[in-house]
Amino acid sequence: MISTVIIGNGNVAHHLEKAFLKAKTIRVTKISSRNLTIIPDADITIIAVSDNAIKEVSAKIKNSFVVHTSGSFSMDELQNKTRKGVFYMLQTFSKEKEIDFSKVPFCLEAENEKDYILLKKLAKSIGVNIYNITTEQRKTLHVAAVFVNNFTNHMYKIGADICKSNNVPFEILQPLIDETASKIKQLKPVSAQTGPAVRNDSETINNHLSLLSQEQQTIYKILTQSIQKSNKTE
C-alpha cells in the first residue's frame, strides 16, 4: 500500500484523487494548498497546484518525498529540504470531463533510483504508459503540448465564434475535427496538411480574410505564412 497526500484543489488534484480512491494499492489524503498547518506523513506527497505557487507550498512541507505535477517546473526548484521528484501527466484536465488514465502518459523524474521505482509503482497503479523523462525533455514536451492542445483548442474557439456570428451550427465541424486528430496517427503532420495555404490558393485566402475580424485576420495570416514556409522546407 502506497500512502499519498495530494495538495491542491485544481483539475489535476481532482482527477488524481478520484483515480487513487479507485486503486486498491493506494491510500490517499487530499488537502487544500491553503490549509498546510497539518500535513499528514506519506510515502509520496504530491503538489498539484499552479506553477507560481509550487515554491511557496513546497517550502512548507517537511514530508520525506515531495513531487510536483508541473510540465515546465524544474524538480530542483522544489523548496522542501527532503527528497524531490516529478509526477507529470501529459494530458489536459477539466473537472467536467472524465479521464481515462490508461491512455495518459506519465513522465517521471526522481533524484535516485529507489524513489523513481516508487513513483513508477504509483503510476502503474492507475496507468500503463510510463516514461523516464528529464527536466529538459519535460519542458520541451510541455511547450509542444501547448501547441497541439492549448493553441489548437483556441483555434476551435475562433472557429466557434465564426460559426456563431454567421448562425452556423459549430457541430457541423465535429467530423472534420475528429478526422484531423485521427489522421496524424497514420501520417506525419506535414503530410496530413491540406487547405489553401499549402496549395498557395491566394484567391481563397483573400476571400477568407474578407470574412474575418482584424484580430482573426492577423492570426490567419501568421498561420498561413507558417504553413507555407514549413511546406517549402520539407
Side-chain angles (χ1 to χ4, degrees):
M1 183 72 70
I2 303 175
S3 60
T4 62
V5 170
I6 300 173
I7 299 174
N9 286 325
N11 295 331
V12 173
H14 170 80
H15 284 289
L16 261 187
E17 181 189 26
K18 288 185 66 175
F20 286 172
L21 286 171
K22 294 177 183 177
K24 296 180 180 179
T25 58
I26 302 173
R27 184 171 69 252
V28 59
T29 301
K30 182 172 171 290
I31 62 177
S32 168
S33 58
R34 297 178 181 178
N35 185 26
L36 299 177
T37 53
I38 301 177
I39 303 174
D41 194 20
D43 296 322
I44 305 173
T45 301
I46 302 173
I47 301 176
V49 299
S50 61
D51 286 2
N52 59 9
I54 290 176
K55 286 186 177 181
E56 179 184 354
V57 171
S58 62
K60 299 177 182 178
I61 301 174
K62 295 180 172 56
N63 287 6
S64 56
F65 185 30
V66 180
V67 303
H68 67 68
T69 60
S70 169
S72 60
F73 202 85
S74 170
M75 174 176 65
D76 295 331
E77 291 181 84
L78 285 166
Q79 299 300 298
N80 59 293
K81 304 300 182 183
T82 53
R83 289 145 38 219
K84 304 173 183 179
V86 178
F87 193 76
Y88 173 57
M89 294 151 289
L90 185 54
Q91 187 52 277
T92 175
F93 293 91
S94 298
K95 288 182 180 179
E96 301 80 10
K97 177 72 167 59
E98 290 295 319
I99 289 290
D100 182 357
F101 276 95
S102 68
K103 298 179 180 179
V104 174
F106 289 81
C107 302
L108 310 179
E109 187 177 1
E111 293 179 308
N112 60 69
E113 183 66 20
K114 183 178 179 180
D115 285 340
Y116 178 80
I117 292 173
L118 180 59
L119 284 181
K120 187 175 180 180
K121 184 178 179 181
L122 180 67
K124 282 192 171 183
S125 297
I126 60 173
V128 294
N129 300 312
I130 317 297
Y131 298 89
N132 187 350
I133 298 292
T134 67
T135 292
E136 290 307 313
Q137 289 173 323
R138 178 164 40 83
K139 288 180 178 180
T140 301
L141 276 171
H142 191 255
V143 70
V146 167
F147 273 92
V148 303
N149 172 239
N150 304 133
F151 290 169
T152 299
N153 189 72
H154 187 62
M155 295 301 104
Y156 296 158
K157 192 265 182 188
I158 292 174
D161 289 344
I162 294 170
C163 286
K164 183 178 180 180
S165 63
N166 290 276
N167 297 313
V168 178
F170 178 67
E171 56 263 27
I172 293 178
L173 293 173
Q174 189 64 56
L176 176 62
I177 293 171
D178 293 342
E179 177 62 18
T180 302
S182 176
K183 189 161 56 171
I184 60 169
K185 295 179 181 179
Q186 300 178 27
L187 301 174
K188 293 181 179 179
V190 67
S191 301
Q193 187 70 58
T194 61
V198 77
R199 296 194 303 267
N200 291 308
D201 188 345
S202 58
E203 184 175 353
T204 299
I205 290 171
N206 288 330
N207 286 337
H208 286 173
L209 290 171
S210 68
L211 299 171
L212 302 176
S213 68
Q214 186 172 353
E215 182 180 4
Q216 291 168 349
Q217 286 180 7
T218 299
I219 296 171
Y220 187 104
K221 289 177 181 178
I222 290 172
L223 291 174
T224 295
Q225 291 168 2
S226 181
I227 290 169
Q228 291 174 336
K229 183 177 181 180
S230 177
N231 191 52
K232 288 179 181 178
T233 58
E234 292 292 332

